[in-house]
Amino acid sequence: MRHFAVVGSGPGGFYTAEALNKAYGDAARIDVIDRYPVPYGLVRFGVAPDHQSLKAVSKRYDAVADSPGVDFIGNVCVGRDVSTSELLDFYDAVVLAIGAPHDRKLGIPGEDLPGVIGSAAFVGWYNGHPEFADLAPPLSGSHAAVIGNGNVALDCARILAKTRGELEGGDIVNHALDALESGSVRTITILGRRGPLQISMTPKELGELGHLEAATPVVDSADFPPPEADEALEPGQRKSVTILREFAAKGPDESKPRRIVFDFFARPVAIEGDGKAERILVERTRLDERGGAAGTGETYSVPASLIITSIGYSTPPLEDVPYDERGGKFLNQDGKISDRLYCVGWARRGPTGTIGTNRPDGYEVAARIESEMPPGSESDRPGAEGLKALLASRDVMPTDYDDWRKIEATEASRARPGSPREKFVRVEDWLKVLGRA
Ligand code: NAP
């Protein structure tokens, strides 16, 4: 028998568990460990609440968790309750699938002023992440800004722009729904340090901005090179750029009260305000010969009392695990960190790619483990039995998938009409459902 630990129950973790389970069958036990009693990681806490179809993938993860060789061990934080080296004593292989939940910093003056919020925190707030339940983003001003030109920036801008009616059928938590409804944000500026052809927004997500009830996209056609330039783009990117060109050609719909303004060639240089964010000082850029953003020296201010930085994420370092500071992920070679220690997903590759990208990633690392420890080979490591004994000695009470099912059913039972669930946003509330708080 082999024992494997997968740390993290987001897409990277579940695809790896699925692949290991397929490869080993009943010759291995796989424990998926999560710091919370609730699974799915990014699918629960990252995917936008108005994109429910993307969350349907969790059904596949449920099937993995229900497999006889797979167990879920929730409410156990690796790095706090148990160390990676202790896990390596109990398990034949440990796969770190902890994602990249930390916001990267801009590194400009004023970034720490109240009102400046990283996208991980903002997304976590509206998705019911317990760490951000008390974030209270300032929504009483008329102007907000989102820094970055990726899909997460789009998610943040869209959630700010949507009406209650557009949001309430999803699983946005009530505290965010109420705060957004009573907020006054009317102009959301999306700042990109490069141009419209350099965005990393995908066509479906970008196209949604053209169909919002109360908000209209504002794009300046003067920002575009001649249309022939699009021919060099790969097809998906070309589609996105075509959508932006269409927004520019059509002009804003003046009947809509909210505006999502694309401000390209705009590099933030400072955030200013009297004790709180009031504006971003921006330097106009142009593309240099390598496609990077070169400053022109021209500066101007963009008003914003809420500023969301959406410029990428990093994986938190773990004691004794080699870390790539620059890449914000674990140092690894094709998913292998060191003897019997592996990583998958954003912790392996950095924060890029969709949920589906994690499938081949998890399968590849599982295949590597399989080649190093062929099914049928044995070890005398204790697996979950050893881990649980250690946890008990530290008064840590793990949860299992049946516990999650209870939480899931309770969250579904308290949902507003039309919404799939009303998430609990505090760890103690999850534990209360289980009669443990
Ligand atoms: P991303 O796609 O890498 O975008 C990061 C953006 O931040 C880029 O526009 C980048 O500009 C900009 N940026 C980086 N450093 C900056 C700085 N110092 N100043 C100004 N701008 C800066 O990352 P993401 O939006 O966080 O998304 C992460 C991954 O999740 C992506 O693969 C994304 O597609 C995926 N995702 C998918 C969906 C979906 O499918 N619906 C939804 C959300 C996220 P440069 O290009 O100039 O570096």
Side-chain angles (χ1 to χ4, degrees):
M1 177 66 77
R2 291 286 186 179
H3 295 275
F4 300 127
V6 175
V7 183
S9 67
F14 265 118
Y15 286 122
T16 308
E18 179 184 270
L20 286 170
N21 187 233
K22 276 191 189 162
Y24 285 83
D26 54 15
R29 296 211 58 85
I30 299 141
D31 291 326
V32 179
I33 301 171
D34 201 291
R35 63 178 162 150
Y36 294 131
V38 300
Y40 312 144
L42 183 87
V43 172
R44 179 177 169 108
F45 294 123
V47 170
D50 58 340
H51 283 171
Q52 284 301 308
S53 59
L54 290 178
K55 300 201 184 222
V57 72
S58 62
K59 294 289 155 238
R60 178 170 177 160
Y61 306 155
D62 289 346
V64 176
D66 285 341
S67 312
V70 180
D71 279 321
F72 176 73
I73 302 183
N75 204 30
V76 174
C77 182
V78 173
R80 181 192 67 196
D81 300 326
V82 58
S83 70
T84 316
S85 2
E86 285 167 334
L87 279 185
L88 282 165
D89 287 341
F90 300 134
Y91 289 91
D92 294 297
V94 174
V95 183
L96 301 175
I98 63 170
H102 288 186
D103 283 302
R104 279 179 179 271
K105 299 292 266 182
L106 274 168
I108 61 172
E111 191 172 7
D112 294 325
L113 281 173
V116 186
I117 292 173
S119 54
F122 187 66
V123 170
W125 171 72
Y126 63 63
N127 265 332
H129 193 296
E131 256 176 50
F132 306 110
D134 298 317
L135 185 73
L139 296 164
S140 57
S142 56
H143 286 67
V146 184
I147 299 172
N149 268 182
N151 276 333
V152 174
L154 264 186
D155 280 348
C156 294
R158 191 183 66 255
I159 295 292
L160 282 172
K162 276 193 165 180
T163 62
R164 184 179 187 98
E166 287 175 299
L167 289 171
E168 63 189 354
D171 66 352
I172 185 169
V173 290
N174 275 332
H175 69 217
L177 188 63
D178 292 343
L180 288 164
E181 186 185 21
S182 53
S184 315
V185 174
R186 292 292 171 268
T187 303
I188 303 140
T189 304
I190 302 182
L191 291 164
R193 62 178 169 182
R194 298 191 291 155
L197 272 61
Q198 286 74 42
I199 56 167
S200 44
M201 299 165 170
T202 44
K204 187 176 158 285
E205 284 64 30
L206 197 53
E208 280 179 74
L209 298 193
H211 307 283
L212 298 178
E213 198 177 298
T216 182
V218 182
V219 180
D220 186 349
S221 48
D223 285 332
F224 292 81
E228 303 81 76
D230 299 6
E231 284 163 22
L233 301 173
E234 60 86 20
Q237 183 75 349
R238 198 180 318 147
K239 263 195 204 161
S240 294
V241 173
T242 302
I243 292 167
L244 276 180
R245 285 189 188 273
E246 284 164 6
F247 289 160
K250 213 168 152 199
D253 178 344
E254 301 295 351
S255 69
K256 295 189 175 170
R258 300 179 194 167
R259 292 150 47 94
I260 301 175
V261 180
F262 284 82
D263 193 349
F264 293 112
F265 301 110
R267 175 165 63 199
V269 289
I271 293 169
E272 299 174 336
D274 190 6
K276 60 183 172 32
E278 289 170 7
R279 64 195 160 272
I280 310 173
L281 185 67
V282 166
E283 180 180 19
R284 182 60 75 212
T285 64
R286 57 175 173 72
L287 287 182
D288 63 22
E289 54 290 345
R290 281 173 298 136
T296 61
E298 178 198 341
T299 57
Y300 59 99
S301 285
V302 175
S305 45
L306 167 63
I307 298 169
I308 300 168
T309 59
S310 180
I311 59 164
Y313 298 127
S314 61
T315 297
L318 275 176
E319 202 185 334
D320 297 332
V321 182
Y323 189 75
D324 167 6
E325 287 288 346
R326 216 164 151 260
K329 56 190 167 82
F330 295 123
L331 259 186
N332 72 94
Q333 197 142 42
D334 300 327
K336 180 154 183 169
I337 299 174
S338 56
D339 186 35
R340 300 189 295 108
L341 182 62
Y342 308 82
C343 56
V344 293
W346 283 7
R348 167 189 175 182
R349 308 187 310 272
T352 58
T354 60
I355 291 169
T357 318
N358 293 297
R359 188 179 178 278
D361 185 322
Y363 271 71
E364 194 184 310
V365 168
R368 183 157 191 171
I369 294 172
E370 196 187 348
S371 72
E372 292 173 7
M373 301 171 204
S377 61
E378 293 282 327
S379 86
D380 52 8
R381 293 185 196 276
E385 206 181 300
L387 172 63
K388 286 182 180 168
L390 179 79
L391 292 173
S393 75
R394 291 177 181 168
D395 288 329
V396 178
M397 297 236 308
T399 60
D400 62 20
Y401 223 66
D402 287 341
D403 292 329
W404 156 237
R405 300 276 195 207
K406 278 183 211 144
I407 294 170
E408 185 181 33
T410 313
E411 289 188 337
S413 71
R414 60 201 287 272
R416 38 176 197 271
S419 164
R421 64 190 65 81
E422 180 58 32
K423 294 174 188 168
F424 290 106
V425 302
R426 298 188 192 278
V427 176
E428 55 270 26
D429 289 336
W430 290 324
L431 296 177
K432 238 182 246 164
V433 173
L434 306 176
R436 296 211 200 151

